[in-house]
Amino acid sequence: MAATELRGVVGPGPAMGAAPGGGGSGPAAAGGGGRGDSGPGPGVAPGPAAAASGGGSGPGPGPVATAGGGSAAGPAPAPPTGGSGGGAGGSGSGSAREGWLFKWTNYIKGYQRRWFVLSNGLLSYYRSKAEMRHTCRGTINLATANITVEDSCNFIISNGGAQTYHLKASSEVERQRWVTALELAKAKAVKMLAESDESGDEESVSQTDKTELQNTLRTLSSKVEDLSTCNDLIAKHGTALQRSLSELESLKLPAESNEKIKQVNERATLFRITSNAMINACRDFLMLAQTHSKKWQRSLQYERDQRIRLEETLEQLAKQHNHLERAFRGATVLPASVPGSAGSVKDQICSGKGDMSDEDDDNEFFDAPEIITMPESLGHKRTGSNISGASSDISLDEQYKHQPEETKKEKRTRIPYKPNYSLNLWSIMKNCIGKELSKIPMPVNFNEPLSMLQRLTEDLEYHELLDRAAKCENSLEQLCYVAAFTVSSYSTTVFRTSKPFNPLLGETFELDRLEENGYRSLCEQVSHHPPAAAHHAESKNGWTLRQEIKITSKFRGKYLSIMPLGSIHCIFHATGHHYTWKKVTTTVHNIIVGKLWIDQSGEIDIVNHKTGDKCNLKFVPYSYFSRDVARKVTGEVTDPSGKVHFALLGTWDEKMDYFKVLPTNGDNGGDSRQRSHELEESRVMLWKRNPLPKNAENMYYFSELALTLNAWESGTAPTDSRLRPDQRLMENGRWDEANAEKQRLEEKQRLSRKKREAEAVKATEDGTPYDPYKALWFERKKDPVTKELTHIYRGGYWESKEKQDWSSCPDIF
């Protein structure tokens, strides 16, 4: 099912077909649909139609009223004059038949007009005749299809359930013409398929395969000839042996000797019979191999062709999609100089709620070689050494020192714009299907210039929610703010389709906002396989946040699933309330073809381990067929008895509100709940997303906090992510150098791991104790609340920073 077709077809609209003039309607039809247009197809659901000035009625999913009386069965939009309901047969294109038919799309849109082309045993359709040049919406092979006539105008084409087209012609005559043409094309396709199975089809076989097969057959023939020669020799010597034995039997020998000679003669005869049987079996094998070799060869070649065709099809789809993006942008996108055109990033970019019409340059696909080229001009200035890739005389550490350090008064508000590098995405991703992506080395083209530790720190984007929660006297109301904080951590991911850098083992990241915002945070990569990061943040406003997150991901071809594992803890100092929860699954859609978009799905249970209060949040997965708001989140806050006190409603990319649930007496005298969020005045907004910075679409869609995370700061540990050279080179637009540096760092990490493994083996052989790798700032122990083994901050980092004593830090860069 084509995603673009779904986006174009699925949408709000009446399910009833209104008749102009005299009014009247026909009920929506039901049934099954095709591949390109979504929705089940129509069944038998006639509906009367009122005429404009006369009477009469006719069946149809959306009857069209006529001016003179009566009504014509057909879809709601009346086909224009000229046979829009079914086209004329045969054209200069060489197709057997082509023209307009109405195809069932879904319950909302009903029948929609599509341009159908019947050619070479295939029935294809397009939204318009002009679309034939670049995009096919769907194709069905008639060789394996069933054609069924429903009534005077409707007929169905199905190939066993995988594809089903419910079609309607403008008249019974047009329907009969199409059905006749389809039956003839099907008979011809079946005959061609049978002939291809019987014939050798040697033209499709490459010369290399022919030579290989011929060599194999020659070898088999040679071996059989050798066996035949051996058979002749065995027969010759066997005959001589039997003659000699017969002569021995004629001699006057003791009876015992005659008996022995007779036994030997019998065994010789059996041996000759067995040898002959073996030779005959070999001859039969050769004949069988020669008979079926062409069939085997065709099967092998067919599989090879299918694989190549699939890869080429994906490449073509990507190029077609790119062509459509460019055409759309050229027709509708306002110039950057137009006032207000860049005022709202959300208005310029696809939010994932609509169709493909709002697509940008960041996710274009190019049919380019895998060698990444440097563009001549980028959105920011660079020195000549940066563009040429030549090494600079100034070391990276010195370059960092020349960058302005962030202060309380001024933080950076921009980074160098993302270059538009060419990348053959499919050539890289086709080998990753079903694999764990954290174990696959990827070029920086897939990345954003932040590490996973920095992305983890972005959870604190809306730390003020925890500040407000710490001031709440009511634990249930406090839980509402904790829930809003949980949802807010996903708002920064809505447009972030690039992956962060995988941290190196022992890599750290600190964020000291104690003076400005009252908190400071520390992250450390505590494990490499599986990758795991520990995070500890504490605030002078009365809360502590800690977590250990293990990231697992699977690429499934169409989408990438990211599953965070581990618990998040939030402790409020004044009350001792201890909350825990886990993250939901993140899915990146349209990996190969189409506009990349992100969705969050699953449920989160937030538990207050001191009071027993709970909050259940449901992240509703996006659906093309749902009329509900996209990225919706709902929730309920309950006390230990299960009674609901607050209801939560919102979206994970915009805002969250809460409503008090007031108990009232029902009509039957019992106690029932009437949720006050039915009244608008009871709505209380917990959280609202901050707008993205200006030109965020050119800066990886970073938020204001994200723009500051990789800015150089003095006094940080030598393992801090800000000092990671490949990440810094990528941020500065030097992607070729960044890729080379990334490979160097990964190789250095592999050598360190092998060294630790060798030391462990040696210690085992010697019987001496060996201490495995331990995190520097976090200690692995059982959590007193969840009873899980996790890494908890052991302290000492900020003291070491104050003393500038980093002697215990490993050399990882």
Side-chain angles (χ1 to χ4, degrees):
M1 186 179 293
T4 52
E5 181 75 3
L6 284 172
R7 295 169 183 164
V9 173
V10 176
M16 313 287 281
S25 64
R35 183 180 70 179
D37 292 296
S38 65
V44 180
S53 59
S57 64
V64 180
T66 60
S71 67
T81 307
S84 63
S91 67
S93 64
S95 59
R97 185 172 183 82
E98 61 181 34
W100 292 106
L101 286 172
F102 289 91
K103 179 180 180 297
W104 177 264
T105 56
N106 55 49
Y107 289 111
I108 300 173
K109 294 282 187 171
Y111 282 98
Q112 294 293 312
R113 197 173 71 150
R114 299 287 183 261
W115 182 260
F116 280 81
V117 176
L118 174 60
S119 179
N120 298 325
L122 300 174
L123 180 65
S124 306
Y125 74 94
Y126 312 83
R127 282 192 177 176
S128 64
K129 189 174 181 179
E131 197 180 54
M132 291 174 61
R133 293 177 298 174
H134 52 78
T135 303
C136 177
R137 298 291 171 176
T139 301
I140 193 167
N141 190 345
L142 296 178
T144 58
N146 295 320
I147 303 169
T148 307
V149 176
E150 276 197 314
D151 53 34
S152 60
C153 296
N154 295 293
F155 58 101
I156 301 172
I157 304 173
S158 175
N159 64 353
Q163 293 171 278
T164 302
Y165 293 172
H166 292 260
L167 306 177
K168 175 190 283 291
S170 59
S171 65
E172 185 175 358
V173 175
E174 281 298 324
R175 188 266 296 160
Q176 189 57 44
R177 288 175 180 170
W178 271 103
V179 171
T180 302
L182 289 168
E183 292 287 2
L184 290 173
K186 176 183 176 180
K188 187 176 180 180
V190 172
K191 183 179 178 182
M192 290 177 61
L193 183 64
E195 289 176 352
S196 66
D197 287 339
E198 294 173 0
S199 65
D201 194 17
E202 295 181 358
E203 293 78 12
S204 64
V205 182
S206 65
Q207 189 61 37
T208 304
D209 290 336
K210 282 183 178 180
T211 305
E212 181 181 351
L213 182 62
Q214 289 169 358
N215 290 337
T216 303
L217 290 175
R218 277 198 295 267
T219 303
L220 286 172
S221 300
S222 174
K223 295 299 181 184
V224 171
E225 288 175 1
D226 292 343
L227 290 171
S228 181
T229 302
C230 293
N231 178 65
D232 294 339
L233 292 173
I234 290 171
K236 178 181 177 181
H237 295 301
T239 303
L241 178 59
Q242 284 183 330
R243 189 183 306 114
S244 299
L245 291 172
S246 298
E247 292 175 355
L248 285 173
E249 286 181 353
S250 63
L251 297 177
K252 293 181 179 180
L253 295 173
E256 185 178 351
S257 299
N258 287 333
E259 187 65 29
K260 292 290 185 183
I261 292 172
K262 187 177 180 179
Q263 291 178 0
V264 172
N265 195 4
E266 290 175 354
R267 291 176 181 174
T269 303
L270 289 172
F271 177 73
R272 185 177 63 179
I273 293 172
T274 305
S275 301
N276 288 335
M278 180 184 67
I279 295 299
N280 291 334
C282 291
R283 284 201 178 112
D284 292 341
F285 170 74
L286 177 60
M287 291 178 64
L288 188 65
Q290 290 172 335
T291 302
H292 292 278
S293 62
K294 291 181 179 179
K295 183 178 179 181
W296 295 337
Q297 190 175 6
R298 286 200 310 274
S299 299
L300 177 62
Q301 187 63 29
Y302 174 78
E303 294 299 330
R304 290 175 177 171
D305 291 343
Q306 283 289 91
R307 176 176 54 83
I308 295 172
R309 194 176 297 113
L310 270 175
E311 293 184 6
E312 291 176 350
T313 300
L314 282 170
E315 294 284 1
Q316 289 297 324
L317 282 173
K319 287 191 285 186
Q320 289 174 8
H321 198 86
N322 181 36
H323 171 76
L324 290 174
E325 287 178 350
R326 290 178 181 276
F328 176 81
R329 284 194 301 274
T332 60
V333 174
L334 294 173
S337 59
V338 177
S341 63
S344 174
V345 175
K346 186 179 178 182
D347 293 339
Q348 300 179 18
I349 52 184
C350 176
S351 66
K353 301 177 184 180
D355 55 30
M356 66 176 185
S357 59
D358 294 327
E359 306 194 5
D360 55 24
D361 285 331
D362 289 348
N363 299 297
E364 291 182 358
F365 297 90
F366 301 85
D367 187 20
E370 294 191 47
I371 299 175
I372 301 166
T373 57
M374 301 291 290
E376 294 182 0
S377 62
L378 302 174
H380 60 282
K381 296 181 180 180
R382 295 184 295 169
T383 62
S385 62
N386 289 349
I387 298 175
S388 64
S391 60
S392 174
D393 293 331
I394 304 176
S395 68
L396 286 174
D397 289 340
E398 292 175 349
Q399 290 180 32
Y400 301 154
K401 293 176 183 177
H402 292 303
Q403 298 185 16
E405 181 180 351
E406 292 191 285
T407 64
K408 179 179 179 181
K409 296 181 180 180
E410 182 179 358
K411 299 187 183 300
R412 73 174 184 179
T413 58
R414 66 179 300 276
I415 59 174
Y417 283 1
K418 177 183 179 181
N420 190 13
Y421 285 107
S422 301
L423 177 64
N424 191 335
L425 180 65
W426 173 242
S427 63
I428 298 173
M429 298 301 288
K430 66 183 179 182
N431 297 319
C432 304
I433 296 176
K435 297 182 179 178
E436 169 61 56
L437 289 189
S438 63
K439 300 181 181 180
I440 301 172
M442 293 283 187
V444 299
N445 305 58
F446 289 92
N447 290 29
E448 61 183 17
L450 289 178
S451 77
M452 188 62 204
L453 302 180
Q454 291 164 315
R455 283 290 290 267
L456 206 57
T457 306
E458 282 190 72
D459 286 357
L460 299 171
E461 174 96 18
Y462 299 95
H463 61 88
E464 63 271 8
L465 289 171
L466 296 182
D467 294 342
R468 290 159 64 186
K471 298 176 182 178
C472 290
E473 297 179 359
N474 186 325
S475 63
L476 293 168
E477 186 179 357
Q478 184 182 71
L479 184 50
C480 292
Y481 283 100
V482 174
F485 173 79
T486 302
V487 175
S488 71
S489 64
Y490 295 98
S491 65
T492 60
T493 68
V494 62
F495 306 124
R496 302 272 286 278
T497 54
S498 300
K499 67 182 288 291
F501 279 79
N502 291 331
L504 303 173
L505 185 63
E507 185 175 334
T508 60
F509 178 73
E510 68 158 75
L511 186 66
D512 191 350
R513 295 288 187 267
L514 202 58
E515 295 182 7
E516 301 95 322
N517 305 118
Y519 73 89
R520 58 186 181 184
S521 163
L522 175 67
C523 292
E524 181 181 1
Q525 186 75 0
V526 296
S527 173
H528 186 58
H529 282 314
H535 179 210
H536 180 89
E538 54 190 15
S539 171
K540 62 183 181 182
N541 294 322
W543 54 265
T544 296
L545 184 76
R546 60 180 174 87
Q547 58 183 316
E548 179 183 348
I549 298 296
K550 300 179 180 68
I551 299 294
T552 62
S553 57
K554 289 291 183 181
F555 175 51
R556 299 301 186 187
K558 290 183 179 180
Y559 62 89
L560 170 67
S561 294
I562 303 168
M563 292 80 70
L565 307 175
S567 298
I568 304 171
H569 299 252
C570 183
I571 303 101
F572 292 96
H573 305 161
T575 60
H577 292 162
H578 188 143
Y579 299 90
T580 62
W581 66 91
K582 297 179 183 291
K583 290 181 176 284
V584 295
T585 298
T586 301
T587 306
V588 184
H589 295 271
N590 293 346
I591 294 292
I592 301 301
V593 178
K595 169 72 179 179
L596 291 171
W597 60 280
I598 289 179
D599 195 21
Q600 315 287 349
S601 59
E603 295 190 15
I604 295 178
D605 288 317
I606 308 174
V607 181
N608 185 337
H609 291 274
K610 181 178 180 180
T611 64
D613 301 335
K614 293 183 180 180
C615 175
N616 175 258
L617 293 173
K618 295 181 180 179
F619 287 68
V620 181
Y622 177 74
S623 171
Y624 288 110
F625 307 102
S626 174
R627 291 188 177 184
D628 213 343
V629 62
R631 309 185 181 101
K632 183 178 179 181
V633 180
T634 62
E636 291 183 340
V637 176
T638 60
D639 60 21
S641 66
K643 181 180 178 181
V644 179
H645 291 263
F646 293 95
L648 305 176
L649 181 64
T651 59
W652 55 263
D653 66 324
E654 286 292 338
K655 65 174 185 175
M656 286 295 294
D657 299 332
Y658 83 88
F659 313 87
K660 278 191 175 183
V661 178
L662 303 177
T664 60
N665 291 327
D667 296 336
N668 57 2
D671 184 67
S672 63
R673 295 193 314 241
Q674 180 183 356
R675 299 188 177 181
S676 61
H677 65 265
E678 296 173 355
L679 304 175
E680 186 61 29
E681 58 268 18
S682 67
R683 179 188 296 263
V684 177
M685 187 172 67
L686 290 168
W687 159 77
K688 184 177 181 181
R689 181 173 67 92
N690 297 327
L692 289 174
K694 185 179 180 181
N695 298 322
E697 67 274 15
N698 299 322
M699 298 183 291
Y700 309 89
Y701 296 103
F702 281 178
S703 63
E704 291 184 358
L705 175 63
L707 287 173
T708 67
L709 293 180
N710 207 43
W712 186 82
E713 293 184 6
S714 62
T716 60
T719 54
D720 196 90
S721 298
R722 299 177 181 87
L723 305 178
R724 182 165 174 164
D726 54 348
Q727 188 172 301
R728 181 66 60 184
L729 287 167
M730 183 199 173
E731 181 182 274
N732 291 333
R734 297 159 65 179
W735 285 17
D736 286 342
E737 296 172 73
N739 275 314
E741 190 65 22
K742 184 172 182 287
Q743 293 179 9
R744 182 190 69 81
L745 290 174
E746 289 171 349
E747 182 61 27
K748 182 176 182 179
Q749 184 170 235
R750 278 191 289 270
L751 292 175
S752 298
R753 188 189 73 246
K754 290 179 180 178
K755 182 180 179 182
R756 289 194 301 271
E757 291 173 351
E759 291 175 352
V761 171
K762 187 176 185 300
T764 303
E765 294 175 349
D766 297 343
T768 56
Y770 173 75
D771 292 331
Y773 177 84
K774 292 182 180 179
L776 185 58
W777 308 110
F778 289 81
E779 181 181 4
R780 190 167 189 260
K781 57 184 179 181
K782 182 179 288 188
D783 185 270
V785 175
T786 63
K787 308 303 179 183
E788 299 173 346
L789 279 175
T790 185
H791 282 83
I792 298 177
Y793 179 59
R794 71 170 80 214
Y797 178 87
W798 304 107
E799 292 78 6
S800 296
K801 181 180 180 181
E802 186 177 353
K803 300 175 184 177
Q804 282 299 293
D805 179 14
W806 304 116
S807 57
S808 58
C809 293
D811 176 21
I812 59 174
F813 299 141

